[in-house]
Structures are given as structure tokens and as C-alpha cells.
Amino acid sequence: DTYQTPDVDPEHNICSRSHNQPPQPLGCNGTSITSPDTCWKFFDDLWKEQKAWLAKELKSSSAEWQIIVTHYPPYFEPCRSDVWTSYLADYGVDFYISGHTHLQKASNFQGTPYVISGGGGGITSETLPTTSGEDDGYGFMDVVITHDVLTVTRYSHGGVDNQTIVRGVTSVAPRKAKVTQVVV
């Protein structure tokens, strides 16, 4: 976890000092970031604004489906899993889609189905792909939404024989919000 520690995992951490040294500009144009030390404040402030915005939008939504799409899985920091614990159930979020982790996964977080769709190309997967394609390292997901059900089919990369390999199917029914207001 690199949260609030710019010197941890410097190659992966955009707030690290290694990414903010001359001759590179010290900061990020168009933001209040002027150094690695102000980077975390910028992202904390942004997170606070986004939490308030999301709570307002979820509360006022009349959509048949409440689906959150975000970078981090719900249990990762710095996305604050405590926020997701209340938002997902209280606002009736039906489904959570994320990436970040470089693999495919379908699971459940505090009663809300979620997928990690991080099986794209260009970077090493969390797991080594097999020649048979019977793995979740690379692949794609197909999402079909109807009035009554959301269905996600997870496909593998297909191996060296380019087979069509279904790694799993998740079906989700819509649910109702528990409360009409959550304190942000």
C-alpha cells in the first residue's frame, strides 16, 4: 500500500519522488500538486469530493440498475473499503466493476457482486497465462443487461489454439436501496 507514502513503491506510485524530480516538472499542470508531499492532499481532496458527488447521485437516481465502475476493487485502499461497505448496500448498488489488478475475477463484497476486469493486454498479468487458456490472466468480459437480470460472462484469452473458453458466468438481480440518506 502506497497511501500517503511517496517513497514506497516508487516506480508504481505516481506521487513518488522518482516521478517528480528535475528535469521533470515538480507537480502536475492544472492541479494543486506542486510536489510529492502535496500529491496525497490533492487525491484525498478529490476523493472527498467524489464521495459526496456519488452519494448525491446514487440517492437521487431512479435508474433500474445501480452500477459503479471504478479503478480499484472495493477492498483496496486508497478507495476506502469502509465507504463501499455502506454505499453499496445502503444505496442499493447492484454491481461493481473495477480493474487495477491484472486478472479477471468475479466475487462478492459485503453482499454486492463485483468483477475485476483487469485481464487486458500491455502489462504482465498477476498470474502466468497457460498455453491451454484455462486461466484468468488475460481475457475479456461480456455484460448483458435486461430489465430483470445482469449477466457477466468471463472469457479466457483462449490459449495457443485460440479456443473460446468461458471461465465463468455471473448473474445479478437488481436490488432496492435500504436507506434514503447516508452521511458522507
Side-chain angles (χ1 to χ4, degrees), residues 56-79:
K56 176 181 167 261
E57 294 300 316
L58 287 171
K59 181 181 177 190
S60 66
S61 175
S62 62
E64 292 181 22
W65 288 96
Q66 301 272 33
I67 301 170
I68 291 179
V69 180
T70 186
H71 181 79
Y72 289 103
Y75 50 83
F76 269 46
E77 298 300 339
C79 74

Side-chain angles (χ1 to χ4, degrees), residues 61-127:
S61 175
S62 62
E64 292 181 22
W65 288 96
Q66 301 272 33
I67 301 170
I68 291 179
V69 180
T70 186
H71 181 79
Y72 289 103
Y75 50 83
F76 269 46
E77 298 300 339
C79 74
R80 312 281 198 275
S81 56
D82 57 326
V83 168
W84 297 129
T85 298
S86 66
Y87 278 32
L88 297 177
D90 293 343
Y91 288 120
V93 173
D94 303 297
F95 195 58
Y96 185 105
I97 301 171
S98 71
H100 184 73
T101 303
H102 298 274
L103 54 76
Q104 294 189 103
K105 178 180 180 180
S107 193
N108 189 291
F109 179 79
Q110 305 286 326
T112 301
Y114 76 90
V115 294
I116 299 173
S117 182
I123 191 162
T124 304
S125 176
E126 303 287 329
T127 61

